Amino acid sequence: MTGVALIDDHESVRLGLEAACARTEGLDVVFSGSSVTAYLDWRALSNARPAEVVVLDLTLGDGTTVTENVRRLVQDGSSVIIHSVADRPAAVREALAAGAAGIVSKSSPIDDVIAAVQAVSHGEPLNNVEWASAVDGDQAFADAQLSAREREVLRLYATGLPLKVVAERLGIAYSTAKENINRVRVKYVDVGRPAPTKVDLLRRAVEDGILTPIEDAGDA
């Protein structure tokens, strides 16, 4: 059972999502509220484990920033889906840079939101239209300026191949492949798009067009 938390200061939105989750096998709404602080306080008081997926409104009425909210939730152990209108690319980019898994527009059918929750709960990246539009429309979404070799190593590594296999495929030393991945991570940190895990590297590769969502190790 996937635990889902809904954080939005519009009760009607939460009620709609709660109803959709209730009729979806495998999803359990463990919290519904208007702020990240309320959610974390509930976690502390109930000693409940973190929700696997948090559906979070881009802008809450308590004065918190999207960066602050996403970081708190990710650090607490949850994956975060931004649920909002996708017409504020700077704020969307901010959320992605802070570690959000993706964005689903509030204008999307509710089944699309549920599908996004299920995908993220299985560790799959989101590459939906709202995300792509926000990134493409925002010139401040900084390019990490990867070299051709760094892009090659990232493309193969992000599909799931072990670094040793990546090195063998490219005909380079394991130490060279490792050095390339380390440089890739540093470059993404430098442009405010950190990628500390392999899943994060996959997200960055998809965002930058190095990898398409349908590619996997078998296609590489």
Side-chain angles (χ1 to χ4, degrees), residues 19 21 24 49 51 55 72 79 101 103 118 131 134 139 144 166 170 207-208:
C21 289
T24 303
R49 63 188 178 90
V55 180
R72 291 176 75 190
S79 296
I103 176 171
Q118 292 172 318
W131 182 341
Q139 297 304 314
V166 172
L170 295 177
E207 290 167 5
D208 291 348

Side-chain angles (χ1 to χ4, degrees), residues 11-214:
E11 186 180 18
S12 59
V13 173
R14 298 200 311 268
L15 290 174
L17 290 173
E18 285 178 39
C21 289
R23 64 173 183 261
T24 303
E25 185 177 355
L27 298 185
D28 177 33
V29 175
V30 296
F31 176 86
S32 178
S34 61
S35 73
V36 172
T37 297
Y39 165 71
L40 294 176
D41 286 347
W42 167 80
R43 277 248 304 113
L45 288 171
S46 64
N47 200 29
R49 63 188 178 90
E52 281 86 355
V53 180
V54 176
V55 180
L56 173 70
D57 191 12
L58 185 65
T59 305
L60 298 175
D62 60 358
T64 55
T65 66
V66 64
T67 294
E68 174 188 358
N69 286 330
V70 172
R71 284 181 177 169
R72 291 176 75 190
L73 292 168
V74 170
Q75 289 171 0
D76 190 54
S78 299
S79 296
V80 179
I81 295 173
I82 297 298
H83 187 221
S84 188
V85 289
D87 59 356
R88 297 179 56 202
V92 171
R93 181 183 65 84
E94 213 179 303
L96 297 176
I103 176 171
V104 179
S105 174
K106 284 187 175 178
S107 64
S108 299
I110 201 159
D111 287 347
D112 288 358
V113 183
I114 296 302
V117 170
Q118 292 172 318
V120 169
S121 71
H122 294 135
E124 301 168 10
L126 293 186
N127 188 38
N128 51 28
V129 174
E130 289 79 21
W131 182 341
S133 297
V135 171
D136 291 344
D138 185 7
Q139 297 304 314
F141 196 86
D143 188 346
Q145 299 292 322
L146 304 184
S147 70
R149 174 48 56 84
E150 288 165 352
R151 290 170 71 90
E152 286 180 339
V153 173
L154 174 59
R155 185 180 70 82
L156 293 174
Y157 184 63
T159 60
L161 293 177
L163 203 51
K164 182 179 179 182
V165 176
V166 172
E168 290 172 353
R169 289 204 179 188
L170 295 177
I172 60 178
Y174 171 82
S175 59
T176 301
K178 185 175 182 180
E179 181 182 344
N180 273 273
I181 287 296
N182 288 340
R183 283 204 303 266
V184 165
R185 284 197 164 103
V186 168
K187 286 184 176 182
Y188 277 123
V189 167
D190 287 345
V191 296
R193 301 167 61 198
T197 70
K198 201 166 188 176
V199 172
D200 292 322
L201 285 173
L202 173 60
R203 289 177 185 152
R204 302 296 171 255
V206 170
E207 290 167 5
D208 291 348
I210 297 168
L211 198 65
T212 61
I214 59 172

